[in-house]
Amino acid sequence: MKKTLLIIIGMLALCNVLRAQDTVPFGQFDNYFVYGNLPEFEKYRHYYLGTMTYPGDGGEIGKYFFSADSLTVYGIAAGIKEKSIIRYLADTTYDNSIEYLRLYYSAADTLQCLNQAPVHLHNNISYYLNCDTVNPPSSNYITEMHERYFPSPTTVVDSFYVGCTHFLHKHPFDQEHCYRCPPLLISVIESVDLYNREDYILCFHEPSGVHSWIRSYIYGDFSLLFPILTPPDSSNSIDDHGMLGRLTGVMPNPAAETAKVVSSFGLSRVEAYNLAGEKVDDLRLPSPSLSATLDLHRWPVGAYILRIHTPQGVATKKLTVVR
């Protein structure tokens, strides 16, 4: 028992350092809906962290997503980078560097906003994402991540779009005030070896006031833009990207028959939801334990969200059931 306690204390000390750095390795997207092929960095000759194509004269852009099952979307997580500019800025501070992350559906070739949340450059950063899995972290491969929640959740199914406004951008011929303040862009992992296609709808705000729409696509990109599938944690003590998330896990994952949920803090209850937001299991432990086993025999194949109750708050993890 004493040895176990020392191990846990050591892990907590290490996680305090990680928490201070607030940098998370690429791939920890348990509570996000990931669409497209996640980059497998070890297979690439070279890659870099760029930014998403955008309508430079102002407008908005939506990336295509698809789900055969209903998804309850609570918000949007996005990698954000500041756009390097050389034109004159009317405001050189970041006070007004705010855009909107948006959830859309497509009507013909246009985007119709279903829900939105503001995102503020260099402010209210949820964590930093390290996209360099081969070399020691470099600022060139680290992006700030923003988890922005909607006022209320929205359910989508089939085709939908997730994107960002570009209202800060001015028309390139307006040299006097080309940008009102430092603009922000969505971060993208780019590689000629990345066989991933992303489809977009872009809206261009013309100087005349007319909005024009265009469909586009690009190969070799993976944009850091994700619907969030879990509600915000009401616990303010520890979040899922800090100690609680790092010391709580599910194994194996994917799983077929059983899955073990573990937490160094101890756990008292595990709730399981499908992606439609329906509860499929609720395991309550008679006394706090370091682990619990889920029986998956009656669970249909698919993805599930686990809400793991611990003395330090509720952690959320994604579990995939396969046969």
Side-chain angles (χ1 to χ4, degrees):
M1 178 65 184
K2 182 177 180 181
K3 181 179 179 181
T4 301
L5 182 60
L6 290 174
I7 291 173
I8 292 175
I9 292 173
M11 292 176 69
L12 291 176
L14 173 62
C15 288
N16 272 323
V17 175
L18 295 174
R19 177 68 172 160
Q21 294 172 344
D22 209 19
T23 300
V24 173
F26 184 86
Q28 296 188 11
F29 305 136
D30 289 344
N31 58 328
Y32 302 161
F33 179 67
V34 178
Y35 186 74
N37 300 315
L38 278 175
E40 300 176 76
F41 297 102
E42 67 277 6
K43 296 183 179 180
Y44 303 153
R45 292 190 300 272
H46 61 275
Y47 68 97
Y48 62 96
L49 188 65
T51 53
M52 181 185 282
T53 302
Y54 66 97
D57 56 354
E60 50 197 305
I61 181 173
K63 171 189 170 181
Y64 177 80
F65 283 75
F66 176 84
S67 173
D69 300 319
S70 296
L71 296 178
T72 299
V73 180
Y74 291 88
I76 297 173
I80 298 296
K81 293 188 71 176
E82 180 178 351
K83 176 178 171 56
S84 298
I85 56 175
I86 58 175
R87 298 189 181 95
Y88 174 81
L89 294 173
D91 176 6
T92 57
T93 72
Y94 298 106
D95 294 346
N96 297 303
S97 296
I98 300 172
E99 295 283 5
Y100 288 89
L101 299 175
R102 286 184 166 180
L103 178 69
Y104 303 95
Y105 75 93
S106 176
D109 286 332
T110 65
L111 295 174
Q112 304 294 322
C113 182
L114 291 170
N115 219 327
Q116 67 178 13
V119 59
H120 193 169
L121 179 64
H122 303 324
N123 287 269
N124 306 120
I125 300 169
S126 299
Y127 61 100
Y128 292 91
L129 185 67
N130 174 25
C131 300
D132 190 348
T133 62
V134 179
N135 304 304
S138 162
S139 59
N140 294 329
Y141 290 91
I142 293 178
T143 183
E144 56 189 58
M145 290 292 296
H146 296 252
E147 292 183 334
R148 307 303 300 148
Y149 289 88
F150 300 143
S152 59
T154 298
T155 299
V156 294
V157 67
D158 202 84
S159 300
F160 62 98
Y161 289 78
V162 175
C164 185
T165 62
H166 293 276
F167 296 154
L168 299 178
H169 295 264
K170 305 290 286 187
H171 194 276
F173 296 111
D174 181 4
Q175 295 293 333
E176 183 179 0
H177 299 94
C178 196
Y179 294 92
R180 298 201 302 271
C181 56
L184 57 94
L185 295 174
I186 301 294
S187 300
V188 173
I189 294 170
E190 300 179 344
S191 173
V192 294
D193 304 319
L194 176 57
Y195 298 105
N196 190 62
R197 167 172 165 157
E198 294 196 329
D199 292 85
Y200 306 102
I201 293 181
L202 295 90
C203 175
F204 294 85
H205 291 185
E206 305 293 347
S208 62
V210 175
H211 295 177
S212 59
W213 301 84
I214 184 173
R215 287 185 178 271
S216 182
Y217 66 89
I218 190 168
Y219 286 101
D221 278 14
F222 184 86
S223 55
L224 300 178
L225 195 60
F226 312 97
I228 301 176
L229 300 180
T230 55
D233 190 351
S234 59
S235 170
N236 294 321
S237 57
I238 301 176
D239 63 36
D240 278 359
H241 299 291
M243 291 184 291
L244 179 57
R246 293 188 178 97
L247 296 184
T248 303
V250 185
M251 62 185 77
N253 193 3
E257 299 180 352
T258 62
K260 179 176 286 189
V261 181
V262 296
S263 177
S264 297
F265 293 105
L267 53 93
S268 58
R269 180 184 181 188
V270 181
E271 299 175 275
Y273 296 84
N274 61 25
L275 296 188
E278 301 166 334
K279 184 181 289 188
V280 298
D281 202 351
D282 192 342
L283 177 64
R284 298 172 185 262
L285 305 180
S287 60
S289 173
L290 294 178
S291 67
T293 300
L294 297 174
D295 184 350
L296 309 178
H297 288 90
R298 296 186 179 181
W299 293 23
V301 170
Y304 296 86
I305 301 299
L306 306 181
R307 288 177 54 80
I308 304 165
H309 295 252
T310 80
Q312 297 297 328
V314 178
T316 55
K317 296 292 177 181
K318 185 177 180 180
L319 170 65
T320 302
V321 175
V322 297
R323 296 287 187 264

